[in-house]
Amino acid sequence: MYQIVRNKAYDFTGQSYASVYPNLHKYPATMLPQIGIEVFKELNIKSGKLLDPYCGSGSSFASGLECGLTEMHGFDINPLAVLISKVRFTKVSINELVETKKEFRNNVYEFLKDEKNIDSLLYPQITNIDFWFSEEVIDHLIVIKYFIDKIPDKNIRDFF
């Protein structure tokens, strides 16, 4: 038999990711940054570099920032995970985000006033897209993607 030793330092019952850090996007199987912080403290890590080969939505990066790490790199098989991590830890102007959101909304609204405009956009070549989305949703996603691609600032474009 194995003896189970419970380390109360890693017991975050009742806490969620959002208890300490804001969520931009829900991501499955997210590690609580609080766990990473405790591991770094236990190992007395206060500076250095971090490589996370399975970065997911970036919980380890949140832990690293809390503990003084300044250079972090991550990879993941899921490109959405990499995008979420990148966006979460890229500084952008809140005012620029708000202004871009207003412009974006107005551009989409004006574009959709004439339903024929959608016909001018190219459909993406995504296998089985019609299995996952209705034609109406695909049309809306195409319009959204079209206007996201027009945002000049890459960091703000990534955010959207």
Short mmCIF file of all heavy atoms in Angstrom, two decimals, residues 12 14-21 23 32-34:
data_model
loop_
_atom_site.label_atom_id
_atom_site.label_comp_id
_atom_site.label_asym_id
_atom_site.label_seq_id
_atom_site.Cartn_x
_atom_site.Cartn_y
_atom_site.Cartn_z
N PHE A 12 -6.69 24.08 -3.12
CA PHE A 12 -7.37 25.33 -3.46
C PHE A 12 -8.87 25.07 -3.65
O PHE A 12 -9.50 25.63 -4.54
CB PHE A 12 -6.75 25.94 -4.72
CG PHE A 12 -5.32 26.34 -4.52
CD1 PHE A 12 -4.29 25.51 -4.91
CD2 PHE A 12 -5.01 27.53 -3.89
CE1 PHE A 12 -2.97 25.85 -4.71
CE2 PHE A 12 -3.69 27.89 -3.68
CZ PHE A 12 -2.67 27.06 -4.09
N GLY A 14 -12.60 25.28 -3.69
CA GLY A 14 -13.50 26.43 -3.70
C GLY A 14 -12.98 27.61 -4.50
O GLY A 14 -13.70 28.56 -4.74
N GLN A 15 -11.72 27.55 -4.92
CA GLN A 15 -11.17 28.63 -5.73
C GLN A 15 -11.29 28.27 -7.21
O GLN A 15 -11.35 27.11 -7.57
CB GLN A 15 -9.71 28.89 -5.39
CG GLN A 15 -9.50 29.50 -4.02
CD GLN A 15 -8.07 29.96 -3.84
OE1 GLN A 15 -7.44 30.44 -4.78
NE2 GLN A 15 -7.56 29.79 -2.64
N SER A 16 -11.30 29.28 -8.01
CA SER A 16 -11.28 29.07 -9.45
C SER A 16 -10.16 29.91 -10.03
O SER A 16 -9.53 30.69 -9.32
CB SER A 16 -12.62 29.47 -10.09
OG SER A 16 -12.75 30.87 -10.06
N TYR A 17 -9.95 29.76 -11.29
CA TYR A 17 -8.94 30.57 -11.97
C TYR A 17 -9.26 32.03 -11.77
O TYR A 17 -8.40 32.84 -11.45
CB TYR A 17 -8.95 30.22 -13.46
CG TYR A 17 -7.76 30.76 -14.21
CD1 TYR A 17 -6.68 29.94 -14.49
CD2 TYR A 17 -7.72 32.07 -14.64
CE1 TYR A 17 -5.59 30.42 -15.18
CE2 TYR A 17 -6.63 32.56 -15.33
CZ TYR A 17 -5.57 31.73 -15.59
OH TYR A 17 -4.48 32.21 -16.27
N ALA A 18 -10.52 32.37 -11.93
CA ALA A 18 -10.95 33.77 -11.85
C ALA A 18 -10.94 34.31 -10.43
O ALA A 18 -11.17 35.50 -10.23
CB ALA A 18 -12.33 33.92 -12.47
N SER A 19 -10.66 33.47 -9.43
CA SER A 19 -10.56 33.96 -8.05
C SER A 19 -9.42 34.97 -7.93
O SER A 19 -9.47 35.87 -7.11
CB SER A 19 -10.28 32.82 -7.07
OG SER A 19 -11.31 31.88 -7.08
N VAL A 20 -8.39 34.81 -8.74
CA VAL A 20 -7.21 35.65 -8.65
C VAL A 20 -6.91 36.37 -9.97
O VAL A 20 -6.48 37.51 -9.97
CB VAL A 20 -5.98 34.82 -8.22
CG1 VAL A 20 -4.74 35.69 -8.11
CG2 VAL A 20 -6.24 34.11 -6.90
N TYR A 21 -7.14 35.72 -11.10
CA TYR A 21 -6.75 36.25 -12.40
C TYR A 21 -7.96 36.32 -13.33
O TYR A 21 -8.77 35.41 -13.35
CB TYR A 21 -5.68 35.35 -13.04
CG TYR A 21 -4.47 35.23 -12.16
CD1 TYR A 21 -4.33 34.17 -11.27
CD2 TYR A 21 -3.49 36.20 -12.18
CE1 TYR A 21 -3.23 34.07 -10.45
CE2 TYR A 21 -2.39 36.11 -11.35
CZ TYR A 21 -2.27 35.05 -10.49
OH TYR A 21 -1.19 34.96 -9.66
N ASN A 23 -10.23 35.99 -16.62
CA ASN A 23 -10.29 35.07 -17.75
C ASN A 23 -10.70 35.85 -19.00
O ASN A 23 -11.69 36.56 -18.99
CB ASN A 23 -11.34 33.99 -17.51
CG ASN A 23 -10.81 32.82 -16.72
OD1 ASN A 23 -9.61 32.58 -16.68
ND2 ASN A 23 -11.69 32.10 -16.08
N LEU A 32 -4.80 25.95 -12.02
CA LEU A 32 -4.89 27.18 -11.25
C LEU A 32 -3.50 27.79 -11.13
O LEU A 32 -2.56 27.10 -10.72
CB LEU A 32 -5.43 26.91 -9.84
CG LEU A 32 -6.88 26.44 -9.74
CD1 LEU A 32 -7.21 26.12 -8.29
CD2 LEU A 32 -7.82 27.48 -10.27
N PRO A 33 -3.32 29.06 -11.46
CA PRO A 33 -2.01 29.70 -11.30
C PRO A 33 -1.52 29.62 -9.85
O PRO A 33 -0.32 29.58 -9.59
CB PRO A 33 -2.24 31.14 -11.72
CG PRO A 33 -3.44 31.10 -12.59
CD PRO A 33 -4.29 29.98 -12.08
N GLN A 34 -2.45 29.57 -8.91
CA GLN A 34 -2.10 29.48 -7.50
C GLN A 34 -1.22 28.25 -7.23
O GLN A 34 -0.32 28.28 -6.39
CB GLN A 34 -3.36 29.42 -6.62
CG GLN A 34 -4.25 30.64 -6.72
CD GLN A 34 -5.33 30.55 -7.77
OE1 GLN A 34 -5.07 30.23 -8.93
NE2 GLN A 34 -6.57 30.84 -7.39
#
